[in-house]
Amino acid sequence: ADFNYGADEYDAEGNEEPKALPEGSETMPYIDESPTMSPQLSARGQESGDGVSPTPTDGLGTGGERDAGKGLEMRKLVLSGFLASEEIYINQLEALLLPMKPLKATATTSQPVLTLQQIETIFYKIQDIYEIHKEFYDSLCPKVQQWDSNVTMGHLFQKLASQLGVYKAFVDNYKIALETAEKCSQSNYQFQKISEELKVKGPKDSKESHTSVTMEALLYKPIDRVTRSTLVLHDLLKHTPADHPDYPLLQDALRISQNFLSSINEDIDPRRTAVTTPKGETRQLVKDGFLVELSEGSRKLRHVFLFTDVLLCAKLKKTAVGKHQQYDCKWYVPLADLVFPSPEESEHCPQVHVIPDHELEDMKMKISAIKSEVQKEKANKGQSRAIERLKKKMFENEFWLLLNSPAIPFRIHNRNGKSYLFLLSSDYERSEWREAIQRLQKKDLQAFVLSSVELQVLTGSCFKLRTVHNIPVTSNKDDDESPGLYGFLHVIVHSAKGFKQSANLYCTLEVDSFGYFVSKAKTRVFRDTTEPQWNEEFEIELEGSQSLRILCYEKCYDKTKLNKDNNEIVDKIMGKGQIQLDPQAVQTKNWHMDVIEMNGIKVEFSMKFTSRDMSLKRTPSKKQTGVFGVKISVVTKRERSKVPYIVRQCIEEVEKRGIEEVGIYRISGVATDIQALKAVFDANNKDILVMLSDMDINAIAGTLKLYFRELPEPLLTDRLYPAFMEGIALSDPAAKENCMMHLLRSLPDPNLITFLFLLEHLKRVAEKEPINKMSLHNLATVFGPTLLRPSEGESKAHLTLASDIWSHDVMAQVQVLLYYLQHPPISFSELKRNTLYFSTDV
């Protein structure tokens, strides 16, 4: 696994030694302008006894309310951290300049190591950069050492920014400098020895006197430095009061630096240039990303690279720290030989082993639980080692999920024989890969075989050229990156227009959750139309989501094309598009209307977002005449029934025609249908039965879930909730049995009879698991929180963060329901008669 917690920034000592070479360090990288990560503050201040520990910045407020003293203190911390890294940077530049003089001296002798021209190219502008930074360091150092509140240093940063032209020259020459150094290394052993081990002086007060670094790594440093200085300017501005004389100067310096960064990024995007194709054209990287390959029956994470004329599947080799990371080519297919087998051709392909849903759900729960532990540790200023351990665990779990959840097959066949199978979790991505390949295949491509050297060069270029650096899991995000949205997104898919001829059309919705995209909802098929009017509403649960994708399909009814593999999507994608979920825009009480344009098709939709804390509320109904939001005892008394009419009718309907429906209770019904049913039940309308028999079965299942979710207190009651949590945590089976049965016995009669009625129904649903894919565990995941989650007043007492509640308590709520679902049949009369129930034969 390619661990990357964004950790290769400053370490506590300010030792900036490369643990592994920075991303793309072998070619001109794309420089990150976004100030997403603030350098950690140097811990040196503490060692020297200042007693100032780097404090988190959030509490400091802004502008007028900021405690000015604290703001200035933070400035000092930011500056001393930066100064420590500036010292290291100067030492690195010195180490780079050190061999330059002797090399120049030999250049004019009869046995030169390098020519003057080569020296000029490799060390271009290093001397100038060194002098600029030395002067800056010498001016800033005394100001930080003799710190007081009146210190100004904005002019120093402004001057540094004004000299960025030298960096521009360095950057323009960087690629050629690297190539020259590499060529000279290969042809001259002496220079190779020099460039492999340059000695960098350690900081003044560090234990290490010298470290060895390669020339290549040092030549990358100036590029890295511009980004670093820009980040520091951000931090300084954040902690400089707006009326401080430094403020406008720092603002100016930041503006210059940012403009500089974006200008050099526009000039160079050589991530795309690579080796040449058989026709002598440049072979460019068009697309790359992580995909799961099914190889010899097991799932492997691969990094796939699509070049102008070849698809290459690689994996990252494990390398020692400080060594170059390299890719290992698993296979490649020239695009001239690449075909996509049709579903009927791929029948002989290996069957995909699909991991049961409940295992994936379990893992998601575990990840959420670890996330909230990390949050707690951070809130309590926990040990960084403990946090690292948790993050590592989270990475492993997320990696497992990434590997095991994809199930949509993406098959690739080489005309000369072999077939390959990738599994994706998103049809959107599958079609992006397919379209990118087909676009390239429109050109006149030649078939070829790469020699081992050519293959080595091509695979070697992958590391420099790749555009996707991190495995798509959330643990790879920096802390200050947007965590995404957690809660429920309500989406109404209204209509679409722009189709050339009439067809049977439907849409699906995908969101990214746990770092990768999955399909969450699907509209009904609108038959034979050019302007489908779906007007369907969906409630989609978001798990750290940042984007919503909509795909529009034409339904395929051709029996010959339908594949036995139930994850094969054979319908034709008519268009696809995505939008960012902007927390500010989405989090309003009102619906927000939008249009996605794709391939000349326009899909209209509306959405609104409910954060998790809001959706956890149980709100009692103002009217006591209906059934939703009304206590269960009130409803059964009014109806003179033991189980509320709504529960009996919905269950009867599901058992009549929904028990074999794939994903019953898990797939959300159309929200407008559910609201219509809710209104009919609340009004006790005589048309209920007619309406139920006509209604989509997922809407009826959704109405039953909504009824339990909207009870003013959970079916298993607020009073007993803490006891259920304790009971399920008992490890002795006899004690657990005794406690769990005693708790059921303690429920009010209407609650208990309704619970047992629902329990038997859910067991009958799970008996059809081979057909409906709903196991006891799946049903417990769906219904556990609905039947147990405490109401608002109660939850306040023993719950804190919405995300905390979610993970830890939800797991326990699922376990409670699962316990009763897995238990031999429980009868009401038996339960009431026996005080010690089943306890002896456990």
Side-chain angles (χ1 to χ4, degrees):
D2 179 12
F3 278 77
N4 181 353
Y5 299 134
D8 59 359
E9 293 293 327
Y10 290 42
D11 65 24
E13 297 291 330
N15 294 330
E16 221 181 357
E17 257 322 290
K19 295 171 185 57
L21 266 157
E23 305 299 5
S25 56
E26 299 170 55
T27 182
M28 185 49 232
Y30 185 81
I31 298 181
D32 182 14
E33 309 154 41
S34 57
T36 47
M37 80 138 284
S38 316
Q40 294 154 19
L41 302 162
S42 159
R44 291 242 196 107
Q46 293 155 267
E47 290 163 18
S48 56
D50 306 2
V52 184
S53 66
T55 39
T57 56
D58 339 344
L60 293 174
T62 51
E65 55 170 346
R66 184 205 274 109
D67 168 346
K70 243 187 192 167
L72 294 166
E73 196 48 76
M74 283 304 296
R75 283 176 81 217
K76 182 189 174 186
L77 288 169
V78 172
L79 281 169
S80 47
F82 183 56
L83 208 54
S85 75
E86 189 71 5
E87 183 194 341
I88 290 163
Y89 179 48
I90 290 167
N91 289 348
Q92 289 165 339
L93 293 171
E94 254 178 8
L96 205 47
L97 289 170
L98 204 62
M100 190 170 84
K101 289 193 185 81
L103 283 170
K104 270 189 176 165
T106 64
T108 49
T109 64
S110 57
Q111 288 183 309
V113 178
L114 302 182
T115 66
L116 280 171
Q117 181 58 50
Q118 287 168 332
I119 296 168
E120 183 54 39
T121 306
I122 295 171
F123 297 98
Y124 187 64
K125 293 292 177 196
I126 301 286
Q127 184 70 45
D128 299 2
I129 291 175
Y130 170 76
E131 282 161 13
I132 290 168
H133 281 270
K134 186 83 176 84
E135 184 191 344
F136 171 76
Y137 178 84
D138 291 344
S139 315
L140 185 60
C141 198
K143 286 180 181 287
V144 177
Q145 283 169 349
Q146 290 132 37
W147 182 259
D148 70 32
S149 55
N150 302 322
V151 163
T152 59
M153 42 66 206
H155 57 291
L156 297 177
F157 278 93
Q158 197 184 27
K159 183 176 179 189
L160 189 64
S162 70
Q163 294 167 311
L164 281 170
V166 175
Y167 274 92
K168 174 83 174 94
F170 174 84
V171 164
D172 289 344
N173 179 70
Y174 173 76
K175 199 166 169 237
I176 203 155
L178 262 195
E179 282 167 7
T180 309
E182 209 163 301
K183 273 187 200 134
C184 296
S185 253
Q186 283 163 3
S187 58
N188 188 305
Y189 178 68
Q190 264 178 294
F191 181 67
Q192 187 186 353
K193 291 282 292 178
I194 295 168
S195 61
E196 271 177 5
E197 284 204 21
L198 291 167
K199 295 272 183 277
V200 178
K201 252 192 339 215
K204 284 198 271 293
D205 45 2
S206 90
K207 297 169 196 62
E208 289 180 39
S209 60
H210 281 88
T211 43
S212 293
V213 190
T214 65
M215 181 173 287
E216 190 179 353
L218 288 179
L219 281 171
Y220 179 75
K221 294 299 172 189
I223 287 158
D224 201 25
R225 196 67 198 163
V226 187
T227 314
R228 185 66 60 82
S229 316
T230 313
L231 293 175
V232 167
L233 284 166
H234 263 278
D235 288 345
L236 279 175
L237 267 173
K238 205 157 55 179
H239 301 296
T240 303
D243 54 3
H244 192 285
D246 273 347
Y247 195 83
L249 300 174
L250 292 170
Q251 246 180 342
D252 192 40
L254 180 61
R255 185 184 51 78
I256 297 169
S257 304
Q258 281 178 326
N259 288 345
F260 171 75
L261 279 179
S262 44
S263 75
I264 62 173
N265 280 337
E266 277 162 28
D267 291 353
I268 27 170
D269 192 359
R271 294 191 284 185
R272 302 194 166 277
T273 58
V275 236
T276 52
T277 65
K279 294 167 86 174
E281 295 156 359
T282 316
R283 178 175 284 145
Q284 295 184 315
L285 177 65
V286 177
K287 180 176 172 59
D288 68 303
F290 288 97
L291 295 181
V292 173
E293 186 189 7
L294 198 66
S295 164
E296 293 165 6
S298 64
R299 292 166 177 255
K300 307 278 190 210
L301 189 68
R302 304 292 193 217
H303 199 146
V304 181
F305 295 86
L306 173 61
F307 289 95
T308 326
D309 63 340
V310 64
L311 184 76
L312 184 138
C313 174
K315 71 176 260 231
L316 252 180
K317 283 203 282 206
K318 285 199 170 70
T319 46
V321 174
K323 286 275 188 294
H324 264 311
Q325 281 194 306
Q326 281 296 335
Y327 280 99
D328 200 2
C329 172
K330 288 306 206 185
W331 50 264
Y332 69 91
V333 181
L335 298 189
D337 294 328
L338 187 151
V339 283
F340 299 111
S342 62
E344 56 271 27
E345 288 171 324
S346 54
E347 279 183 7
H348 59 274
C349 279
Q351 272 302 301
V352 178
H353 169 57
V354 179
I355 304 284
D357 273 351
H358 71 84
E359 285 186 33
L360 299 172
E361 290 304 323
D362 262 2
M363 186 54 87
K364 288 178 185 176
M365 294 276 197
K366 272 189 199 158
I367 293 166
S368 300
I370 297 172
K371 269 187 189 159
S372 61
E373 275 184 66
V374 171
Q375 294 305 330
K376 276 188 201 130
E377 281 287 339
K378 283 185 177 161
N380 303 333
K381 309 268 189 298
Q383 294 277 318
S384 60
R385 197 172 296 158
I387 293 176
E388 272 311 305
R389 210 171 33 248
L390 285 168
K391 279 192 166 181
K392 184 170 182 223
K393 186 85 195 129
M394 184 158 93
F395 179 89
E396 286 163 4
N397 288 344
E398 288 196 310
F399 187 79
W400 183 91
L401 196 61
L402 179 73
L403 211 53
N404 289 293
S405 53
I408 300 171
F410 176 41
R411 304 174 200 280
I412 279 167
H413 180 68
N414 185 337
R415 277 201 184 89
N416 304 325
K418 212 161 170 300
S419 288
Y420 304 96
L421 171 59
F422 291 111
L423 297 173
L424 281 72
S425 58
S426 148
D427 198 26
Y428 190 100
E429 270 154 45
R430 179 170 76 158
S431 83
E432 280 190 320
W433 278 100
R434 188 176 282 158
E435 285 163 18
I437 290 169
Q438 285 167 338
R439 259 197 309 277
L440 293 169
Q441 287 180 326
K442 287 194 180 119
K443 297 180 187 148
D444 174 26
L445 294 169
Q446 288 182 358
F448 57 86
V449 176
L450 294 172
S451 69
S452 59
V453 174
E454 285 173 317
L455 183 58
Q456 210 176 343
V457 171
L458 185 60
T459 313
S461 73
C462 288
F463 188 82
K464 317 172 202 174
L465 301 176
R466 61 189 185 159
T467 62
V468 181
H469 295 108
N470 291 337
I471 294 170
V473 291
T474 53
S475 29
N476 272 341
K477 283 187 182 171
D478 284 332
D479 291 346
D480 26 14
E481 269 185 75
S482 159
L485 294 170
Y486 286 85
F488 294 91
L489 184 69
H490 298 263
V491 181
I492 301 175
V493 182
H494 297 294
S495 59
K497 45 180 175 288
F499 297 97
K500 302 280 185 288
Q501 57 221 54
S502 44
N504 305 313
L505 303 162
Y506 69 93
C507 283
T508 63
L509 306 177
E510 291 184 355
V511 295
D512 49 332
S513 95
F514 294 95
Y516 58 88
F517 279 86
V518 274
S519 182
K520 288 282 195 173
K522 177 177 176 179
T523 67
R524 63 184 186 279
V525 178
F526 214 98
R527 306 289 288 258
D528 203 18
T529 178
T530 55
E531 294 206 356
Q533 301 281 331
W534 294 288
N535 293 316
E536 288 184 68
E537 183 185 331
F538 301 95
E539 179 185 84
I540 295 172
E541 191 175 347
L542 302 183
E543 298 273 359
S545 310
Q546 296 179 342
S547 306
L548 167 73
R549 291 172 168 175
I550 295 187
L551 293 97
C552 193
Y553 291 90
E554 178 180 357
K555 181 78 185 156
C556 162
Y557 288 110
D558 177 351
K559 284 279 179 286
T560 58
K561 287 198 179 142
L562 296 174
N563 190 315
K564 295 199 287 280
D565 183 348
N566 60 2
N567 284 302
E568 187 78 70
I569 300 168
V570 292
D571 300 335
K572 181 178 168 201
I573 295 183
M574 305 297 285
K576 62 187 191 325
Q578 78 172 7
I579 53 158
Q580 291 303 107
L581 295 174
D582 170 20
Q584 268 59 50
V586 185
Q587 278 175 325
T588 56
K589 293 226 168 61
N590 310 326
W591 287 94
H592 165 76
M593 179 110 172
D594 215 331
V595 174
I596 279 188
E597 292 203 39
M598 35 171 124
N599 289 6
I601 299 162
K602 287 183 180 176
V603 177
E604 282 198 356
F605 64 99
S606 301
M607 58 185 177
K608 69 176 179 184
F609 171 72
T610 322
S611 68
R612 199 158 261 169
D613 4 353
M614 293 304 297
S615 59
L616 288 171
K617 286 182 182 165
R618 291 182 184 270
T619 37
S621 170
K622 303 269 188 297
K623 300 202 305 280
Q624 288 297 300
T625 52
V627 290
F628 280 82
V630 179
K631 280 187 175 170
I632 194 164
S633 54
V634 172
V635 172
T636 48
K637 196 170 176 184
R638 185 198 318 138
E639 293 178 355
R640 295 203 180 93
S641 63
K642 289 184 169 166
V643 174
Y645 179 67
I646 179 172
V647 176
R648 283 176 292 144
Q649 284 315 122
C650 290
I651 284 178
E652 190 179 315
E653 203 60 40
V654 169
E655 295 207 351
K656 200 187 300 174
R657 59 193 179 91
I659 204 145
E660 295 191 344
E661 182 79 14
V662 173
I664 185 75
Y665 289 121
R666 188 171 56 83
I667 286 175
S668 48
V670 176
T672 35
D673 291 350
I674 295 172
Q675 290 307 318
L677 279 171
K678 177 182 174 177
V680 175
F681 275 113
D682 267 343
N684 194 12
N685 192 313
K686 55 184 183 303
D687 299 335
I688 289 178
L689 293 178
V690 178
M691 199 164 163
L692 277 176
S693 60
D694 287 347
M695 194 59 88
D696 171 54
I697 199 66
N698 287 319
I700 294 169
T703 306
L704 181 66
K705 288 191 296 184
L706 185 68
Y707 167 71
F708 286 120
R709 196 156 82 206
E710 290 198 354
L711 281 174
E713 84 159 348
L715 187 65
L716 299 186
T717 73
D718 284 329
R719 184 175 61 86
L720 294 176
Y721 182 74
F724 276 113
M725 293 296 102
E726 284 166 15
I728 198 67
L730 293 170
S731 34
D732 174 49
K736 184 186 275 191
E737 165 79 11
N738 219 341
C739 173
M740 298 300 275
M741 290 305 139
H742 172 69
L743 286 171
L744 283 188
R745 210 174 298 115
S746 314
L747 285 169
D749 281 5
N751 298 55
L752 174 57
I753 296 170
T754 303
F755 179 65
L756 294 178
F757 186 73
L758 176 67
L759 208 56
E760 290 314 305
H761 163 63
L762 294 178
K763 287 181 180 181
R764 287 192 290 274
V765 171
E767 282 168 11
K768 300 279 186 196
E769 185 194 351
I771 306 166
N772 64 27
K773 305 280 189 277
M774 291 302 286
S775 60
L776 289 175
H777 193 289
N778 282 355
L779 292 162
T781 305
V782 172
F783 275 97
T786 306
L787 302 178
L788 277 132
R789 193 186 60 244
S791 53
E792 183 65 357
E794 283 303 306
S795 56
K796 273 285 187 293
H798 49 153
L799 303 175
T800 47
L801 265 172
S803 57
D804 273 9
I805 311 171
W806 199 248
S807 50
H808 184 264
D809 282 31
V810 166
M811 286 173 89
Q813 291 158 11
V814 170
Q815 291 306 319
V816 168
L817 181 54
L818 189 58
Y819 181 84
Y820 293 123
L821 283 170
Q822 289 171 336
H823 197 283
I826 305 164
S827 90
F828 177 75
S829 50
E830 190 76 2
L831 197 56
K832 288 292 184 185
R833 212 173 34 248
N834 278 354
T835 17
L836 276 178
Y837 186 73
F838 278 132
S839 61
T840 47
D841 57 339
V842 171

